[in-house]
């Protein structure tokens, strides 16, 4: 494998290979894009255990959490215990441009940081997922329900496209909120948004129960990850997750923002940082309400078992 050039001391290889089928991009395009936005995306990744989704020629995409043995010694790391696999995982901390360029050369297209920075959870996050088909206008309407629920709770958040079909709402929170309380507040916020217009939005975790509504996913807490602002996605045209002003949501579609168009739209700005409110304390009544709402994944697991048993008995 020949090195075509280097950036920040990182050798780059095979830059003219197609990135993936349908990407409309080469590996060089990926490197160029991430380099162009490095001073915007690195702050969103800094200090957070990082999972990436890589795509190699002729292979399906795969998520990488544990760093490979050939990782350069200068890449910062964090070791975390993974309860699911009962082992310690060595995550990367993408704290600088050099590490980002190294990941780009590894064909890491998607960047999914953890919600912890150090020992603190930094954001409450809702992931709004459309029903089947191209239904982004419904997602926009549902995002307005979330914004109303935030306003009613005295909170403020920022919104971005997911780079896929939905949007993410981020609410920065003060340090020291226990994970259980943050997760509870997230459930309560989703429930309050659902109550504003239950014909449009749902918190139903089981897909068959959503009935064509926008899913307000409140499970992005604890050990979950969420794709970073400015991260590319492995989807046709290589879109990126892009910050949008609340008032502009109904003027855009996710495909407007790709690795080819995003740098020009950004210029020298960082709208994700600029639009992010200051960290906020969570209202006690929001946390209290959330503790009365069952955890979606657990509830769905029990309900799935109940339905399977009912089918067997019938």
């Amino acid at each position: 494998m020949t090195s075509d050039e280097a950036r920040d001391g990182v050798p780059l290889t095979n830059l003219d290979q197609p990135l993936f089928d349908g990407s409309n991009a080469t590996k060089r395009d990926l490197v160029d894009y991430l380099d162009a936005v490095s001073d915007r995306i690195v702050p969103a990744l800094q200090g957070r255990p990082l999972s990436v989704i890589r795509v190699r020629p002729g292979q399906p995409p795969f998520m990488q959490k544990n760093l490979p043995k050939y990782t350069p010694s200068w890449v910062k790391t964090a070791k975390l215990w993974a309860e699911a696999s009962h082992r310690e995982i060595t995550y990367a901390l993408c704290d600088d441009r050099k590490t980002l360029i190294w990941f780009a050369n590894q064909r890491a297209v998607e960047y999914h940081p953890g919600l912890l920075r150090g020992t603190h959870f930094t954001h409450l996050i809702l992931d709004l997922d459309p029903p089947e088909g191209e239904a982004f206008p419904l997602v926009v309407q549902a995002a307005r329900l979330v914004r109303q629920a935030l306003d009613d709770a005295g909170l403020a958040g920022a919104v971005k496209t997911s780079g896929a079909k939905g949007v993410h709402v981020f609410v920065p929170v003060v340090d020291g909120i226990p994970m259980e309380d943050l997760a509870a507040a997230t459930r309560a916020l989703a429930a309050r948004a659902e109550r504003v217009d239950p014909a449009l939005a749902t918190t139903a975790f089981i897909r068959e129960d959503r009935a064509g509504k926008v899913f307000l996913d409140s499970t992005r807490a604890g050990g979950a990850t969420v794709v970073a602002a400015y991260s590319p996605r492995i989807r046709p045209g290589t879109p990126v997750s892009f910050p949008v002003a609340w008032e502009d949501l109904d003027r855009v579609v996710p495909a407007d923002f790709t690795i080819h168009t995003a740098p020009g739209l950004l210029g020298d700005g960082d709208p994700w940082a600029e639009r992010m409110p200051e960290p906020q304390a969570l209202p006690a009544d929001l946390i209290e309400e959330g503790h009365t709402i069952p955890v979606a994944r657990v509830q769905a697991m029990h309900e799935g078992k109940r339905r399977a048993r009912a089918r067997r008995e019938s």
Side-chain angles (χ1 to χ4, degrees):
M1 186 180 292
T2 58
S3 176
D4 301 326
E5 57 183 81
R7 293 191 203 183
D8 211 351
V10 179
L12 303 174
T13 56
N14 302 315
L15 292 175
D16 296 323
Q17 283 184 349
L19 193 54
F20 55 87
D21 288 345
S23 64
N24 189 33
T26 63
K27 183 178 168 183
R28 181 185 297 276
D29 292 327
L30 175 69
V31 173
D32 285 347
Y33 167 75
L34 288 169
D35 201 4
V37 301
S38 61
D39 58 341
R40 272 67 63 93
I41 192 171
V42 166
L45 304 176
Q46 213 158 27
R48 300 178 186 276
L50 179 64
S51 301
V52 296
I53 300 183
R54 297 171 57 192
V55 57
R56 290 172 172 159
Q59 297 181 26
F62 63 97
M63 178 166 274
Q64 175 183 292
K65 298 185 178 190
N66 211 20
L67 279 172
K69 292 179 179 177
Y70 56 79
T71 301
S73 59
W74 43 259
V75 173
K76 293 181 183 178
T77 61
K79 295 181 184 293
L80 294 177
W81 180 257
E83 196 58 47
S85 55
H86 298 287
R87 64 184 179 125
E88 192 174 60
I89 291 181
T90 302
Y91 288 90
L93 299 176
C94 189
D95 286 0
D96 51 42
R97 171 180 177 250
K98 186 174 184 177
T99 303
L100 184 67
I101 296 297
W102 179 78
F103 268 117
N105 190 59
Q106 296 294 307
R107 303 177 70 100
V109 179
E110 299 194 10
Y111 295 77
H112 295 251
L115 308 185
L116 274 174
R117 176 171 278 149
T119 58
H120 296 290
F121 292 97
T122 56
H123 294 84
L124 179 159
I125 297 169
L126 280 180
D127 179 5
L128 279 58
D129 198 23
E132 294 299 318
E134 296 300 320
F136 192 69
L138 293 180
V139 176
V140 171
Q141 293 177 46
R144 300 202 189 288
L145 304 184
V146 172
R147 193 182 191 193
Q148 182 175 331
L150 286 172
D151 287 345
D152 292 345
L155 297 170
V159 64
K160 65 182 181 71
T161 66
S162 68
K165 296 182 178 180
V167 301
H168 297 146
V169 178
F170 275 56
V171 181
V173 297
V174 295
D175 287 351
I177 298 175
M179 188 272 285
E180 294 80 5
D181 287 351
L182 184 63
T186 310
R187 293 194 296 273
L189 185 66
R192 291 182 182 188
E194 178 185 30
R195 288 199 294 269
V196 177
D197 189 351
L200 169 65
T202 179
T203 57
F205 191 79
I206 299 174
R207 190 176 294 273
E208 65 193 52
D209 293 346
R210 296 178 194 167
K213 302 173 186 177
V214 176
F215 176 43
L216 308 179
D217 184 356
S218 62
T219 64
R220 302 305 182 101
T225 64
V226 180
V227 74
Y230 309 116
S231 171
R233 303 301 302 269
I234 302 175
R235 291 181 171 269
T238 320
V240 305
S241 180
F242 200 86
V244 182
W246 284 102
E247 58 272 17
D248 291 338
L249 268 178
D250 52 7
R251 301 189 188 106
V252 303
V253 294
D256 291 342
F257 312 109
T258 72
I259 61 171
H260 299 296
T261 63
L265 294 170
L266 286 171
D268 295 327
D270 183 356
W272 190 234
E274 293 157 9
R275 294 179 185 139
M276 190 64 66
E278 289 298 311
Q280 301 147 88
L282 294 175
D285 66 311
L286 191 72
I287 295 171
E288 186 178 347
E289 179 183 340
H291 279 299
T292 69
I293 301 171
V295 176
R297 292 183 190 277
V298 176
Q299 186 183 34
M301 180 183 68
H302 291 310
E303 178 61 17
K305 289 179 179 178
R306 187 196 67 78
R307 293 183 188 186
R309 189 168 57 249
R311 283 194 296 270
R312 287 194 303 270
E313 292 171 354
S314 65

